[in-house]
Amino acid sequence: MSDISGREDDGIERMPLKTFTETAYLNYSMYVILDRALPNIGDGMKPVQRRIVYAMSELGLSATAKFKKSARTVGDVLGKFHPHGDSACYEAMVLMAQPFSTRYPFIDGQGNWGSTDDPKSFAAMRYTESRMTRYSELMLSEVGLGTVDWAPNFDGTIDEPTVLPARVPNVLLNGTTGIAVGMATDIPPHNMREVVSACVHLLDEPKADLAALCEHIKGPDFPTDAEIITPKADILKMYQSGHGSVRMRALYEREDGDIIITALPHHVSGAKVLEQIASQMTAKKLPMVEDLRDESDHENPTRLVITPRSNRVEIEPLMLHLFATTDLERTYRANFNIIGIDGKPQVKDLRALLVEWLVFRTETVRKRLQYRLDKVNRRLHLLDGLLVAFLNLDEVIHMIRTEEKPKQVLMKRFELSEEQADYVLDTKLRQLARLEEMKIRAEQEALAKERETLEKTLGSKTRLKTLIRKELIADAEAYGDARRSPIVERDAAAAMDETALTPAEPVTVILSEKGWVRSAKGHEMDPTSITYKSGDSFASAARGRSNQPSIFIDSTGRCYAVLAHTLPSARGHGEPLSGRLNSPDGASFKGVMMGGADDQYLIASDAGYGFVSRLSTMITKNKAGKALLSLPKGAQVLTPAPIRNTATDLVVTITTEGRMLVNPVSELPELGKGKGIKVIGIPSKRIAEREEYVVAMTIVPEKATLVVYSGQRHLNLKAKDLAAYEGERGRRGNKLPRGFQRVERVEVEEK
């Protein structure tokens, strides 16, 4: 039998696993959200930070005290308030001490507390010493003035403050990051003077809108001199919604031709940036940079030197490329998720956040004033009793000497309260003897004036607001500083095109009959003279630059683009193009083309059709290529021929029947793709049955010589010789001399 609560007679509580896991995970989630990961709007601290600062204040480690071992502080935090691991606690303490991590550090550290290159390179807590900074006074100065709600620690032996009475909105000044369950927070740091100025404006103008507040708060202010390049409209949008992003960019300057990086974005390692740039240099993707070095020292915490290859290198495009491809530019997420006064987490916009913090501050000041008023009233009450005793000193002494219960007699005789009577009886005789009526009355008068001021302030919202305003301005003046992160508008970073990052060296790309490809340096080498794999031979070659794409055309008429600098060296046999490209099954590669985007080539099939096409129309990133040449039935692709000058170049077409036709290249259309137009007339039936087809179609520039090879013989045809073969486009052409009608190949020789 079990009772209603589900408890069995044996005392063991039983519940469904589903219910238990839901409850346990929900409890854990609420603990992580409220007691570990998110900051409180009041003091802007997470529990571990609050406990570290409070424990240090209990140890007397003020800004003027001697340094004490960090292990002592961590020990007190763990032993008294924070039942977690020492390493996590010490890491939180380190972050609070690092001036490059925290905008306004809470802790003044002595020893190795890490560096910007490696924030986690700090020494163990047994080696470092610490004390609080002056800024911590703003969190702790009012702790003992009745402003704090106290809660028992984890074992109930002592009390700890639930929220510290921060005199400034630390939640914005230092920001914080944290990951809870199902939610996170990323609040960027801000400048104290700007935030306090916005608070003062909000006190003066309670109905001020967000735009008015953003006149004071320009944007986040990180503990680095790097620039914030987020547009003002985006910053305003971030403050309106409570979430967004902030973009930071490194600062650089020119010095004797070198680029000097003087400031890095928040939490960016100079060593990592150098490593990122060096890896691009190693991969030959940064040809305009010659040298890289780190000259950072004590006087110049950040000094990274980039040496351009020459004075002709344009610095701005280079830096925009580095901003886009390295950590020299970084984006930081912003998410103003905070535990509010009501104890609930919520994403707040900037205005709501400041309004709520001012409510917290107003209540804190009210508690402080009420606490002081209570103390003043108590002191005045005691002084009233003491004055009565002083004016009747002989009688009081006589009562004390003669009466068995002098306290009750004193209370009855002089109408004193029990507290006054105790105070009179506790006063030492020698103090009474030295007391003077004037001193008592002077203290009473001063306290009465203070009480009047306190009561007026507590009774007037305007006076209370004025007091808070004065204190905020004074604190900003004493503890604030100038903005560190300038907000500027910059061009968007953009990585350079890969062709612009590759050295423009002359290369010759060679294609073999079997489809193997390689790249040789220079334009002087003879591609027919190098060795090929057994059973393979030279097919086509193109001369260009290493930063240009190589365009290949296959037997189906499709074209493909491969960057020349990625091709293997001609010292070996190269590699098969089929391994890089997704060409159709059974297709073979017929030719290679190179040059500038506007360079033109003659694209033709052995059916006698052809057209002119620019290389820019053939470039594709698709490994499967793109359609270029449409083939009539039975036709095959011819090797493309480069065009130098469309006004003077000639198209020479030779068929298997020994017929040759010469036409101006200007008669051919320029197309992006297609079959082209008929250059020489061959019946389509003869092409389909391979009885007759074009054996060569090439371009002969002005003043060049065409060499026709037939067996062991060759025929040189100059411009005046070619004139005899000119005819209307689409005609059959004229027969070559006897003995040269079975043409094997042609070459063009230029002077």
Side-chain angles (χ1 to χ4, degrees):
M1 292 291 293
S2 63
D3 59 17
I4 298 172
S5 67
R7 187 179 298 278
E8 298 288 341
D9 292 339
D10 56 7
I12 298 173
E13 184 179 356
R14 290 174 171 81
M15 66 173 68
L17 181 62
K18 178 176 179 290
T19 306
F20 172 77
T21 51
E22 281 182 3
T23 306
Y25 193 69
L26 184 62
N27 291 339
Y28 166 72
S29 303
M30 292 306 296
Y31 164 74
V32 172
I33 292 167
L34 300 178
D35 289 325
R36 194 162 79 191
L38 300 189
N40 190 289
I41 194 168
D43 56 13
M45 290 181 165
K46 295 191 255 187
V48 65
Q49 296 171 322
R50 187 179 303 119
R51 287 162 176 167
I52 288 168
V53 169
Y54 181 66
M56 291 184 80
S57 73
E58 290 292 283
L59 286 169
L61 296 176
S62 66
T64 56
K66 286 185 177 180
F67 287 95
K68 190 168 281 189
K69 285 283 186 187
S70 301
R72 174 66 193 277
T73 299
V74 173
D76 264 35
V77 172
L78 299 185
K80 293 180 178 179
F81 310 114
H82 201 66
H84 295 279
D86 59 340
S87 60
C89 179
Y90 182 52
E91 279 193 33
M93 186 175 171
V94 168
L95 284 174
M96 295 167 72
Q98 290 176 337
F100 50 84
S101 294
T102 305
R103 181 66 180 84
Y104 298 97
F106 296 98
I107 295 169
D108 181 10
Q110 191 168 262
N112 176 13
W113 288 81
S115 65
T116 50
D117 275 345
D118 187 5
K120 294 202 172 184
S121 62
F122 51 85
M125 59 184 172
R126 61 182 177 275
Y127 299 120
T128 61
E129 296 180 337
S130 56
R131 65 183 178 189
M132 289 188 292
T133 59
R134 287 182 63 242
Y135 178 78
S136 294
E137 296 171 5
L138 294 173
M139 305 294 115
L140 298 160
S141 60
E142 297 178 359
V143 167
L145 303 180
T147 58
V148 175
D149 292 330
W150 299 85
N153 69 340
F154 60 89
D155 60 4
T157 54
I158 53 176
D159 288 339
E160 62 175 316
T162 54
V163 181
L164 295 178
R167 293 172 61 92
V168 288
N170 179 63
V171 68
L172 275 179
L173 303 188
N174 273 322
T176 190
T177 59
I179 300 173
V181 177
M183 60 179 66
T185 183
D186 288 280
I187 304 172
H190 290 74
N191 183 271
M192 184 188 293
R193 289 178 182 171
E194 290 183 7
V195 172
V196 166
S197 178
C199 289
V200 169
H201 182 74
L202 203 52
L203 286 170
D204 295 339
E205 303 286 342
K207 293 185 179 179
D209 60 6
L210 185 65
L213 296 178
C214 286
E215 291 294 319
H216 300 270
I217 301 176
K218 308 295 184 185
D221 186 23
F222 292 87
T224 172
D225 297 328
E227 297 174 336
I228 294 173
I229 61 168
T230 306
K232 289 183 179 180
D234 291 351
I235 293 176
L236 182 63
K237 199 178 293 182
M238 174 185 76
Y239 287 143
Q240 282 175 336
S241 61
H243 52 77
S245 63
V246 180
R247 201 164 189 79
M248 290 199 84
R249 180 178 288 183
L251 285 181
Y252 72 92
E253 56 189 39
R254 297 295 303 275
E255 185 181 296
D256 299 330
D258 290 339
I259 303 165
I260 313 295
I261 296 168
T262 56
L264 293 169
H266 185 47
H267 274 170
V268 168
S269 162
K272 186 179 178 184
V273 168
L274 291 180
E275 185 182 324
Q276 290 171 334
I277 299 174
S279 66
Q280 291 190 43
M281 292 171 67
T282 305
K284 296 184 178 179
K285 291 184 178 179
L286 214 55
M288 61 283 290
V289 175
E290 183 178 42
D291 191 24
L292 198 64
R293 58 188 183 275
D294 187 354
E295 294 183 355
S296 305
D297 54 25
H298 183 68
E299 291 183 5
N300 302 290
T302 302
R303 184 179 167 84
L304 309 181
V305 183
I306 301 171
T307 305
R309 190 167 291 277
S310 72
N311 292 331
R312 295 191 301 275
V313 173
E314 293 185 39
I315 300 303
E316 192 169 340
L318 169 60
M319 290 308 298
L320 288 176
H321 170 77
L322 292 177
F323 289 142
T325 57
T326 70
D327 284 345
L328 287 174
E329 184 172 308
R330 183 184 268 189
T331 301
Y332 302 87
R333 190 176 62 176
N335 182 26
F336 293 79
N337 193 0
I338 307 163
I339 298 174
I341 294 175
D342 57 2
K344 297 176 182 177
Q346 186 183 355
V347 176
K348 302 181 187 292
D349 63 83
L350 181 65
R351 188 183 185 283
L353 191 155
L354 291 176
V355 167
E356 193 165 334
W357 184 83
L358 284 172
V359 170
F360 166 81
R361 181 62 189 155
T362 302
E363 187 58 32
T364 301
V365 172
R366 190 186 298 280
K367 285 180 181 177
R368 187 188 80 204
L369 295 178
Q370 188 61 53
Y371 177 78
R372 178 60 186 165
L373 180 60
D374 293 343
K375 286 196 75 171
V376 167
N377 284 332
R378 182 174 180 274
R379 180 62 181 165
L380 282 170
H381 183 60
L382 294 177
L383 286 176
D384 288 342
L386 193 60
L387 186 61
V388 169
F390 179 78
L391 295 175
N392 301 278
L393 188 57
D394 293 337
E395 190 177 351
V396 169
I397 292 172
H398 179 73
M399 287 180 182
I400 294 171
R401 290 182 65 189
T402 57
E403 295 295 334
E404 187 176 338
K405 294 183 178 179
K407 180 178 173 181
Q408 281 77 10
V409 176
L410 281 172
M411 290 169 63
K412 187 175 180 181
R413 169 70 181 84
F414 299 112
E415 296 182 355
L416 300 178
S417 67
E418 186 175 353
E419 191 177 21
Q420 286 174 318
D422 285 335
Y423 184 67
V424 169
L425 291 172
D426 289 341
T427 304
K428 291 182 180 178
L429 188 61
R430 63 182 178 187
Q431 287 178 317
L432 274 174
R434 286 189 289 108
L435 283 176
E436 298 176 9
E437 182 181 356
M438 292 296 292
K439 286 184 178 179
I440 297 173
R441 293 196 184 278
E443 187 179 354
Q444 279 181 323
E445 188 177 340
L447 289 173
K449 283 183 180 178
E450 185 180 355
R451 176 173 62 184
E452 184 182 359
T453 304
L454 289 168
E455 286 174 344
K456 282 182 179 178
T457 305
L458 283 167
S460 167
K461 288 184 178 179
T462 305
R463 282 175 175 268
L464 190 62
K465 195 180 290 184
T466 303
L467 175 63
I468 294 168
R469 186 179 185 277
K470 285 181 180 177
E471 289 179 350
L472 280 170
I473 293 171
D475 289 338
E477 189 64 34
Y479 298 92
D481 56 5
R483 167 174 280 278
R484 287 197 61 184
S485 304
I487 301 175
V488 292
E489 289 190 16
R490 298 289 186 194
D491 294 334
M496 288 186 186
D497 187 76
E498 193 170 353
T499 56
L501 293 170
T502 307
E505 299 170 347
V507 293
T508 302
V509 174
I510 305 157
L511 178 68
S512 76
E513 291 285 352
K514 300 281 188 182
W516 284 61
V517 67
R518 45 189 153 165
S519 175
K521 288 184 179 179
H523 291 166
E524 294 75 27
M525 61 91 61
D526 180 7
T528 61
S529 64
I530 59 175
T531 59
Y532 292 85
K533 291 176 75 71
S534 178
D536 202 359
S537 60
F538 170 75
S540 177
R543 293 182 174 89
R545 296 281 173 179
S546 55
N547 63 342
Q548 293 175 334
S550 305
I551 311 293
F552 299 92
I553 186 168
D554 70 7
S555 56
T556 67
R558 296 185 71 80
C559 63
Y560 310 81
V562 179
L563 287 171
H565 75 273
T566 66
L567 296 174
S569 169
R571 290 173 183 166
H573 290 126
E575 65 179 50
L577 267 176
S578 56
R580 287 190 176 220
L581 306 171
N582 300 332
S583 55
D585 292 340
S588 59
F589 292 94
K590 293 296 183 180
V592 58
M593 297 168 275
M594 282 190 78
D598 289 330
D599 285 2
Q600 295 174 312
Y601 269 79
L602 170 65
I603 307 297
S605 66
D606 65 3
Y609 289 85
F611 61 90
V612 175
S613 186
R614 293 181 187 271
L615 287 179
S616 57
T617 64
M618 306 181 206
I619 296 172
T620 174
K621 291 184 178 179
N622 191 350
K623 286 188 175 183
K626 63 187 289 190
L628 178 63
L629 177 63
S630 301
L631 296 171
K633 187 177 179 182
Q636 295 182 7
V637 175
L638 293 174
T639 303
I643 298 170
R644 304 288 176 79
N645 189 330
T646 53
T648 57
D649 286 2
L650 298 173
V651 180
V652 177
T653 311
I654 303 173
T655 70
T656 52
E657 292 291 314
R659 291 182 175 276
M660 185 168 83
L661 182 64
V662 177
N663 307 107
V665 75
S666 57
E667 291 185 0
L668 272 62
E670 183 179 325
L671 302 173
K673 63 177 181 177
K675 183 173 76 170
I677 62 171
K678 185 179 284 189
V679 181
I680 191 168
I682 304 175
S684 56
K685 186 177 179 182
R686 289 178 64 82
I687 294 168
E689 295 176 0
R690 303 302 287 172
E691 292 177 0
E692 183 183 359
Y693 52 88
V694 173
V695 71
M697 188 184 294
T698 190
I699 299 293
V700 180
E702 190 179 16
K703 296 181 181 179
T705 300
L706 179 71
V707 184
V708 178
Y709 290 89
S710 179
Q712 299 295 318
R713 305 169 66 190
H714 67 275
L715 177 67
N716 292 342
L717 298 172
K718 296 184 178 180
K720 61 181 181 179
D721 303 319
L722 292 175
Y725 295 91
E726 289 183 2
E728 290 184 23
R729 181 185 54 77
R731 296 292 185 178
R732 291 282 287 154
N734 296 329
K735 282 269 190 178
L736 285 164
R738 294 187 66 177
F740 292 97
Q741 292 178 359
R742 291 192 176 275
V743 178
E744 294 177 359
R745 60 188 175 89
V746 297
E747 287 183 6
V748 178
E749 291 183 353
E750 298 182 60
K751 291 183 180 179

